[in-house]
Amino acid sequence: MLGFISRRLLQAIPTLFVIATLTFFLIRLAPGGPFDGEVEIPDEVRERIEAHYGLDRPIIVQYFSYLGNALRGNLGPSTLQVGWDVHELIAQGFPVSLELGLWAMVVAFAIGIPVGILAAVYRHRSYAHWLMGFAMIGVCLPSFVFGPLLLLVFSSYLGFFNPLGWEHASDRVLPALTLGMFFAAYIARLARSGMLEVLQQDYIRTARAKGLSERIIIIRHATRTALYPVVAFLGPAFAGVISGSFVVESIFFIPGLGTFFVNAALNRDYTLVLGTVLFYAVLILSLNLLADLIQAWLQPKTRDV
Amino acid sequence: MTLSTFSKRLTLALPLAVALLVGGSGCQPGETRVEAGNRAQELYVGIGAEPATLDPHLAVGVPEFKVLLALFEGLVKRDAKTLEIKPAVARSWEISEDATTYTFHFDPDARWSNGDRVTPEDFRFSIERILNANLGSSYAKMLFPLRKGEAYHRGEVEDFDEVGVRILDPYTLELTLEYPLAYFLDLLAHGAWYPVHPPTILAYGNDNPHDRLARWTRPGRLVGNGPFQLAEWRLNAALVVRPNPYFRAADQVRLNEIHFHPIQADAEERAFRNGFLHYTSTVPPHRVQWYQTNQPEDIRFDTYLGTYYFMFNTLTPGLEDPRVRRALSLSIDREAITRAILRGGQKPAYHFTPPDTAGYTSPSTVPHDPERARELLAEAGFPGGAGFPEIEFLYNTSDAHRSIALAVQQMWRRELGIDIRLYNVEWGVYLARRRNRDFEMMRAGWIGDYNDPSTFLDLFTAGSSNNFSGWSDDVYDEAIRASRRTLDPEQRAAYFARAEEILLREGPVIPVYFYVNSLLIDPAVGGHHPNVLDYHPYQHLYLRPPGGSGATP
């Protein structure tokens, strides 16, 4: 087990290096720079500002100095939010995105797993098809449509929720639904196919032959195995809800990391873009590792692979 | 039948769980945040985007200055209604006979939010700070009229004592100008002239006053001298200010709290509609009609000191001929654009400087005259548009820019037989291509920094860093220079008129419309007067409590 973890950690190092390098040069290739604005500043002022951030040095020097600093945990100052460091901005935005992501995952599992299992168990009934039909809609409907729809119904007409913001506990509901629905639909499909496969297995037939009730068979014997594909999806799904929350953040005016990241990219805030990308990369690598560990624990066969 | 009961329980449980979530949300029906704010004198303001900084010497954008107006105060301020210059930190001032020396007498009650007195030394420190090129301020140019101010900025003068700033005594500051400047007091009301608190700057900038990265603009650190002080700042969520107890006119301040929210257009409108904001930074064009029909009392279109225009790269083949540019300008039906596309009270621009800018309105115009346009185009060698190269029109991503570009494309095709290719790029790309003059024609906009025609007409002088057209004209430049040497309003207007006549005839730009500042505003907000600078000092704002007469002055 330890060998497995350390092997995976070693693999992460070149991955991060490649990500940092690609991001560094890609963002520099984008036209424009961090100090372009509607009001053009004189060249001599621009030069002074660039010197403040070390942008006057040759790009290769900037690259190695960035890597050196990043290794020491120093992500540099933001050029967009003057007077703030990138790590401070991540520290402000990430907890919000994390919370939104957690709630979205709760929604995704609470809806996805029961729907998937029911659809498999009652695969010959018509409402199972309806359920999966809804799941398809969930996959297809983009959040910039689903979010405003929820707002229209539950905020504007029914007045149950605030139209935007992230201050009260109730402000979590609509964003979490919007973000979680896509994943709920996906999980439903995974759970359904997992369950269908399990129900064909010999041991289920044996259990039936022994006269166990269908309910016990489903809950106690089939579900655990049926959820392996769902667990494997856990890592990517969680990474997805955390890094893919920008649209939901902008619809509901949530001050998460996605908002910082998109503003950074639009304003060519090199350090903030790089810092956020690296942070996401580390996060996704760790989440994938975690998902693998859980899977290994559930399914001992993969442990030594 | 155990299975079906299992499923029945599940199908019952799901809606129940949702209902519990909804019911337990703690929403109070009845009172909105705005209504609660009206009782508590708490104002909720949409500012459109997150302020990039709260350092007045580094601020550039509109959202920044909206917040800074609450936190800082210059030597003078404006009247909230008429925009006339009024005393602020300076209680009074004298202007010398030749109008180059201004002596300011400080209000002894002017204090920083930590209780320190605002002194002439603080202003000297601040003026040195923003003028020093090491800080890299985009608005240093606002202080160039000071004697040797520009030279100090360029490093041609090393000793700041040579710059026209002198402390006469602990309550008196003398500013000397390079030349008499009619709108100098107007400049002083601009945010670039706000003072900063020297001990704070030095404490958080490692004793270096020119450290851009000094981390002093945080709650608990920022010391200002405005009517309010910074209480909370959660980036991309809310910036909260509360009254500064040491403000020199603290008794005028009626609001207990202001919350600034950087919400973008569509969400901002929704926030307003649901009682989350007292007023917004803008109105999305597609919502204008809805408000005009359903809630006309909530929507306002204030004349704004700004021009939307097209700019040519006059070095482009086909566009180097002024007759061609003039023809393109004459054939645009500006009325149709403002009436059918913008629909927000914008005015068609038949000249460049907005009408009645500090009393000046351009006598020359570019009328809508397709007939004359066709003649000019033929004279230039392109009768009926024959042989005219296809021009690329560059604009940054926005529905409004796109609609205008499409309309103009259509007008030119119909009236002149000319085809343009529309080219849409993201903001950063747009700015980069503009700077490198890598365009043939583009949309542009300019908002006046102060209330004087020079803020518009200076743009197209030869040395202007915002003149991307490649066009310049000696007679034009001379007229602008001459306008600086005189104080007589009529003479100045004549110089401006001469310059503007050249600008319109030579046509490096096509003025399209004059901006309006459209906003949604709750009728409870008092003291928020329409004016061309969108200037609304917060010490004069108040909220009418529910059930109140609403007849407060």
Side-chain angles (χ1 to χ4, degrees):
Chain A
M1 194 55 139
L2 269 177
F4 171 74
I5 296 177
S6 54
R7 239 188 349 264
R8 289 290 297 271
L9 287 179
L10 278 176
Q11 283 169 2
I13 294 172
T15 312
L16 283 175
F17 174 76
V18 169
I19 290 175
T21 308
L22 277 180
T23 317
F24 183 91
F25 289 103
L26 275 178
I27 182 81
R28 295 308 179 93
L29 281 178
F35 310 112
D36 285 340
E38 177 93 60
V39 179
E40 184 68 24
I41 45 176
D43 285 340
E44 71 271 12
V45 176
R46 177 186 304 274
E47 282 159 20
R48 302 289 182 128
I49 301 176
E50 285 177 348
H52 268 286
Y53 296 93
L55 295 172
D56 52 341
R57 297 170 300 170
I59 184 134
I60 202 73
V61 176
Q62 293 180 40
Y63 169 67
F64 282 112
S65 113
Y66 181 82
L67 280 190
N69 286 331
L71 275 179
R72 274 175 272 130
N74 175 7
L75 296 174
S78 162
T79 50
L80 169 65
Q81 299 294 158
V82 183
W84 295 86
D85 283 323
V86 167
H87 71 85
E88 292 178 293
L89 301 181
I90 293 177
Q92 283 206 21
F94 179 62
V96 176
S97 291
L98 179 68
E99 197 196 333
L100 172 60
L102 282 173
W103 285 117
M105 288 301 274
V106 169
V107 167
F109 279 86
I111 296 179
I113 292 177
V115 165
I117 290 176
L118 286 178
V121 172
Y122 300 109
R123 61 195 171 281
H124 302 304
R125 307 264 181 87
S126 66
Y127 67 82
H129 296 289
W130 281 108
L131 276 178
M132 289 321 286
F134 277 119
M136 275 312 290
I137 292 176
V139 172
C140 299
L141 208 61
S143 47
F144 58 83
V145 173
F146 191 54
L149 263 177
L150 285 179
L151 275 170
L152 190 70
V153 175
F154 292 102
S155 175
S156 293
Y157 289 155
L158 300 174
F160 289 163
F161 298 104
N162 292 329
L164 75 181
W166 192 253
E167 295 192 358
H168 312 285
S170 63
D171 292 342
R172 271 69 176 163
V173 177
L174 295 185
L177 269 177
T178 311
L179 187 57
M181 204 45 97
F182 171 85
F183 295 95
Y186 204 86
I187 286 171
R189 285 159 53 81
L190 287 175
R192 177 176 178 269
S193 56
M195 183 57 101
L196 283 179
E197 206 184 308
V198 171
L199 290 177
Q200 309 298 319
Q201 300 282 320
D202 290 342
Y203 75 92
I204 298 291
R205 202 178 311 148
T206 312
R208 285 198 181 118
K210 279 166 69 183
L212 285 181
S213 80
E214 197 66 21
R215 177 177 166 183
I216 303 270
I217 290 173
I218 299 290
I219 295 177
R220 204 168 293 166
H221 300 287
T223 302
R224 177 172 155 156
T225 323
L227 291 187
Y228 286 160
V230 176
V231 174
F233 180 58
L234 198 75
F238 199 57
V241 289
I242 289 179
S243 60
S245 58
F246 166 68
V247 175
V248 177
E249 286 177 16
S250 66
I251 294 171
F252 293 95
F253 185 56
I254 299 169
L257 198 50
T259 307
F260 282 105
F261 180 60
V262 172
N263 286 342
L266 290 177
N267 291 286
R268 309 288 190 267
D269 185 338
Y270 300 144
T271 44
L272 186 51
V273 167
L274 266 165
T276 326
V277 166
L278 279 181
F279 179 76
Y280 277 141
V282 170
L283 188 74
I284 290 171
L285 287 172
S286 342
L287 286 172
N288 282 343
L289 176 59
L290 193 70
D292 285 346
L293 290 177
I294 295 177
Q295 211 180 1
W297 170 69
L298 282 175
Q299 206 173 7
K301 261 189 287 176
T302 53
R303 253 177 231 174
D304 298 314
V305 179
Chain B
M1 283 287 118
T2 41
L3 245 168
S4 60
T5 32
F6 164 63
S7 75
K8 256 179 205 157
R9 273 190 213 161
L10 238 171
T11 37
L12 275 174
L14 262 177
L16 198 72
V18 173
L20 274 174
L21 260 171
V22 171
S25 70
C27 278
Q28 302 293 320
E31 192 171 57
T32 65
R33 201 168 71 138
V34 159
E35 285 160 356
N38 291 346
R39 271 191 292 103
Q41 293 294 312
E42 287 171 11
L43 180 72
Y44 298 96
V45 181
I47 50 172
E50 181 62 45
T53 177
L54 291 183
D55 185 329
H57 298 160
L58 298 178
V60 184
V62 171
E64 287 84 352
F65 286 114
K66 280 190 176 166
V67 176
L68 289 171
L69 185 59
L71 300 175
F72 292 92
E73 191 178 48
L75 288 168
V76 302
K77 62 191 273 286
R78 296 168 192 286
D79 184 89
K81 223 184 244 177
T82 63
L83 298 182
E84 271 176 304
I85 296 298
K86 292 277 156 110
V89 170
R91 197 167 44 169
S92 63
W93 53 85
E94 288 111 40
I95 307 174
S96 67
E97 197 73 21
D98 63 352
T100 56
T101 305
Y102 287 67
T103 313
F104 295 93
H105 304 284
F106 277 46
D107 184 338
D109 288 336
R111 307 225 164 239
W112 294 99
S113 53
N114 67 350
D116 290 357
R117 199 172 70 76
V118 181
T119 62
E121 282 87 356
D122 297 339
F123 271 89
R124 188 179 190 276
F125 176 92
S126 303
I127 293 168
E128 194 283 328
R129 179 173 187 255
I130 186 170
L131 270 180
N132 195 307
N134 286 327
L135 182 72
S137 171
S138 306
Y139 267 124
K141 60 171 188 197
M142 299 298 277
L143 291 87
F144 285 177
L146 279 180
R147 182 164 50 78
K148 300 268 165 79
E150 187 168 2
Y152 184 74
H153 179 74
R154 296 195 189 289
E156 291 151 18
V157 168
E158 303 250 314
D159 186 2
F160 189 68
D161 287 340
E162 289 186 40
V163 180
V165 182
R166 219 149 57 95
I167 298 163
L168 299 185
D169 65 54
Y171 289 93
T172 316
L173 180 72
E174 182 191 87
L175 299 178
T176 318
L177 308 189
E178 201 75 59
Y179 41 79
L181 193 66
Y183 54 92
F184 182 63
L185 288 173
D186 264 280
L187 277 188
L188 285 183
H190 188 275
W193 280 92
Y194 289 155
V196 290
H197 185 243
T200 304
I201 301 290
L202 295 173
Y204 293 103
N206 298 318
D207 282 333
N208 171 10
H210 314 115
D211 180 5
R212 271 180 87 86
L213 306 179
R215 286 143 181 83
W216 66 279
T217 55
R218 315 273 176 97
R221 296 184 186 174
L222 192 146
V223 174
N225 68 329
F228 292 85
Q229 57 183 335
L230 184 62
E232 281 172 48
W233 191 8
R234 281 171 289 131
L235 289 162
N236 294 329
L239 193 155
V240 183
V241 300
R242 302 210 178 91
N244 165 12
Y246 295 102
F247 182 55
R248 57 175 183 85
D251 53 330
Q252 285 179 8
V253 178
R254 293 163 75 175
L255 296 171
N256 291 323
E257 228 166 66
I258 309 175
H259 294 237
F260 296 99
H261 294 296
I263 315 182
Q264 286 173 1
D266 281 319
E268 194 187 46
E269 185 273 329
R270 191 171 73 234
F272 178 83
R273 188 159 25 94
N274 288 280
F276 254 60
L277 293 177
H278 279 101
Y279 60 90
T280 64
S281 63
T282 183
V283 188
H286 61 272
R287 296 297 294 167
V288 166
Q289 214 153 26
W290 188 88
Y291 277 94
Q292 283 176 326
T293 317
N294 298 292
Q295 298 178 23
E297 67 282 7
D298 287 348
I299 192 165
R300 217 169 77 190
F301 305 104
D302 301 349
T303 312
Y304 196 34
L305 201 62
T307 308
Y308 184 103
Y309 60 99
F310 301 151
M311 179 161 48
F312 293 109
N313 174 357
T314 56
L315 311 178
T316 312
L319 295 177
E320 70 284 71
D321 190 331
R323 287 171 298 187
V324 171
R325 303 194 297 255
R326 174 97 178 161
L328 289 169
S329 190
L330 285 168
S331 50
I332 293 179
D333 184 355
R334 294 165 173 82
E335 189 83 40
I337 292 175
T338 53
R339 200 190 49 235
I341 297 173
L342 299 164
R343 291 182 304 196
Q346 290 86 349
K347 301 207 172 44
Y350 298 105
H351 44 82
F352 189 73
T353 312
D356 199 24
T357 300
Y360 161 81
T361 304
S362 167
S364 6
T365 56
V366 205
H368 179 217
D369 188 352
E371 197 55 46
R372 177 78 191 120
R374 279 186 285 273
E375 285 168 25
L376 279 172
L377 198 63
E379 276 173 37
F382 306 105
F388 194 78
E390 195 187 43
I391 300 292
E392 181 185 277
F393 181 96
L394 187 73
Y395 64 99
N396 57 297
T397 312
S398 135
D399 282 344
H401 299 332
R402 190 169 159 276
S403 310
I404 292 171
L406 280 169
V408 169
Q409 182 186 43
Q410 189 60 36
M411 289 171 193
W412 284 338
R413 188 178 296 149
R414 195 181 56 224
E415 305 289 359
L416 303 177
I418 282 179
D419 254 320
I420 57 167
R421 196 169 59 251
L422 303 187
Y423 198 78
N424 166 210
V425 290
E426 173 257 358
W427 183 235
V429 180
Y430 165 88
L431 294 175
R433 291 188 57 179
R434 187 181 73 171
R435 184 146 67 90
N436 300 327
R437 204 180 288 149
D438 175 18
F439 67 96
E440 297 179 335
M441 197 181 163
M442 63 169 22
R443 67 124 309 240
W446 189 257
I447 309 292
D449 285 320
Y450 47 90
N451 193 14
D452 190 85
S454 60
T455 185
F456 288 91
L457 295 175
D458 279 1
L459 279 183
F460 300 102
T461 52
S464 157
S465 53
N466 279 285
N467 180 5
F468 305 97
S469 66
W471 175 86
S472 65
D473 185 287
D474 292 340
V475 186
Y476 181 90
D477 291 357
E478 181 46 41
I480 297 297
R481 263 196 302 274
S483 77
R484 288 182 195 144
R485 286 191 223 105
T486 172
L487 290 171
D488 178 49
E490 269 174 48
Q491 235 179 336
R492 294 187 77 229
Y495 286 126
F496 289 135
R498 184 184 304 167
E500 188 142 5
E501 192 269 325
I502 297 170
L503 186 71
L504 295 174
R505 176 161 42 84
E506 290 275 311
V509 290
I510 298 184
V512 180
Y513 69 86
F514 297 119
Y515 282 107
V516 290
N517 183 39
S518 52
L519 75 160
L520 301 168
I521 180 163
D522 193 279
V525 180
H528 191 284
H529 305 288
N531 61 55
V532 293
L533 291 177
D534 191 20
Y535 172 85
H536 310 285
Y538 301 99
Q539 62 266 45
H540 302 306
L541 297 188
Y542 59 91
L543 298 163
R544 298 182 186 91
S549 66
T552 348

